[in-house]
Amino acid sequence: MTFERPLKGWKILVPRGGSWGGDVADAVRARGAFPIVAPLINFASPRDEDAPKLQTALEELAAGRYDWLAVTSATAVDVMHSMGAVLPERTLVAAVGETTAAALTAAGYRVDFVPNHDNSAKGLLVEWPEAQRGKPPIKVLWLRSEVAKPVLSDGLMRRGHSVDSIIAYRTVGVPAAESIRYDIRNSRIRAMLVTSGSVAEQILNQFGEMPGEIRLAAIGPRTAKDARELGLRIDVVAQERSVASLLDGLEWLARGAEMPVTSAIDLSELRALETEAALDAEIDGVNLSAPVAQAMSHTSKAAADSDEPDVDPDADAVDGKRSHRMPWFRRRAFHDPAHEIPVVDEPRPVQRKDDEQ
């Protein structure tokens, strides 16, 4: 049996290296295209002023002073493992999604809670039983990226819980090779994968205005919004936060068509989020009833725009919508490695006065 390959011959820039970049490159090859792996971001230790806070927090963790540890990226797990973090029996662990949970398990740590539906900060807030309103206060350690937004910490504190939000790592730019710059200037690359706001920022800073022949594909509406605010043109927005969906969008573009809206929204999840938002708004003195009612009446738009940015830059879109939620007519008869690949979908690190959500 033969398969149509609309991306055959396309050169597609993959903006991260390592095992992630290698897996994405395999997925690109599976579509008949040529991957150009050119890391534009990487992860680094906290700044000098933040490093002592991390060390102190890990010592407090080992001493059993936290009820829960919240882990929202596999990179945070790497930091824990490299620093020899000790997890006492009394401290329970909440992971934002399956990939983060798998990283914890591989590093020798246990996992006590993973949200079932929405693998994001909101998902943790809605589904985490011990963190609900009216429950006894808990003390939580959250190891996060420098650019993670405070959705999780703010939500927990509004419910009367105590949170130590500690920077475990930061995202840094990586200069592209001159050969990559040359290929972009001369439109030798057909498409670039924009997998986070930080990647979008590096694309703009390093390459400037994109030639019209190069297509920019964003991993979700939030990343597309960040990229457009920077002034980048976005040609494709993935329906689901996965590399598979991103490549699906490029295939539709290559055929000269637009990818149809097929994602289905889970109304029970939306109602749960509505209730949570209303409770939080009660404290903030905001009336959300009108916007929420509007959202409930436009389910298809909500489905298309519902990909919340992950609390941390590197992981946890990974744990977002996966192949088991993919409509039947988009499943493939052959193995597509993109369905198993973690995806970056982070807020872009600008105006760091405080940690913005």
Side-chain angles (χ1 to χ4, degrees), residues 44-343:
S45 300
R47 300 178 191 277
D48 291 343
E49 60 269 28
D50 295 319
K53 298 174 187 175
L54 175 60
Q55 184 62 49
T56 300
L58 293 181
E59 290 169 1
E60 297 270 308
L61 174 66
R65 297 199 175 100
Y66 293 101
D67 299 306
W68 281 84
L69 169 66
V71 187
T72 52
S73 78
T75 301
V77 179
D78 291 341
V79 172
M80 290 172 58
H81 185 67
S82 68
M83 296 185 69
V86 175
L87 187 66
E89 279 299 317
R90 75 169 301 274
T91 302
L92 302 176
V93 181
V96 78
E98 294 95 341
T99 300
T100 301
L104 282 161
T105 302
Y109 301 109
R110 70 178 180 279
V111 179
D112 300 288
F113 174 72
V114 182
N116 289 320
H117 302 293
D118 182 4
N119 300 122
S120 70
K122 280 188 178 178
L124 275 174
L125 289 171
V126 169
E127 297 185 50
W128 190 350
E130 289 81 359
Q132 301 307 308
R133 292 179 188 276
K135 294 289 186 179
I138 56 175
K139 186 171 184 180
V140 179
L141 171 61
W142 176 27
L143 299 178
R144 62 175 178 82
S145 154
E146 185 179 59
V147 296
K149 297 184 175 185
V151 171
L152 183 61
S153 53
D154 286 357
L156 289 170
M157 288 188 289
R158 281 172 177 165
R159 296 170 178 181
H161 304 299
S162 172
V163 184
D164 285 346
S165 176
I166 302 296
I167 296 172
Y169 62 94
R170 57 198 171 91
T171 306
V172 295
V174 177
E178 179 53 40
S179 59
I180 299 296
R181 298 173 186 273
Y182 177 86
D183 283 349
I184 289 172
R185 283 196 304 269
N186 292 278
S187 302
R188 293 188 172 185
I189 290 173
R190 292 290 303 277
M192 301 176 73
L193 305 184
V194 186
T195 53
S196 72
S198 291
V199 167
E201 190 171 41
Q202 290 302 315
I203 288 173
L204 180 67
N205 292 344
Q206 296 196 40
F207 310 125
E209 187 176 350
M210 282 292 107
E213 297 83 1
I214 298 178
R215 303 304 185 185
L216 299 182
I219 198 68
R222 173 55 191 248
T223 298
K225 178 176 179 289
D226 285 346
R228 286 167 176 150
E229 286 177 354
L230 287 167
L232 289 177
R233 180 197 74 252
I234 294 296
D235 302 291
V236 173
V237 180
Q239 290 182 19
E240 302 171 1
R241 284 182 297 170
S242 70
V243 174
S245 182
L246 199 54
L247 295 176
D248 284 348
L250 282 173
E251 286 189 342
W252 278 92
L253 185 70
R255 293 188 189 103
E258 289 187 11
M259 186 161 55
V261 175
T262 57
S263 300
I265 191 166
D266 185 332
L267 292 180
S268 65
E269 291 180 41
L270 184 58
R271 290 187 188 102
L273 290 172
E274 172 191 352
T275 302
E276 177 64 29
L279 288 169
D280 282 346
E282 225 173 79
I283 295 173
D284 297 338
V286 178
N287 180 6
L288 291 185
S289 56
V292 168
Q294 184 180 14
M296 291 291 290
S297 67
H298 296 288
T299 56
S300 62
K301 182 180 187 302
D305 294 346
S306 64
D307 71 320
E308 282 298 321
D310 290 303
V311 284
D312 275 348
D314 59 321
D316 300 311
V318 285
D319 300 307
K321 315 307 179 211
R322 291 177 175 272
S323 57
H324 66 276
R325 293 189 179 187
M326 185 169 290
W328 67 268
F329 56 83
R330 287 175 55 205
R331 295 178 191 154
R332 296 176 178 272
F334 58 89
H335 172 63
D336 186 345
H339 293 314
E340 302 167 0
I341 299 171
V343 176

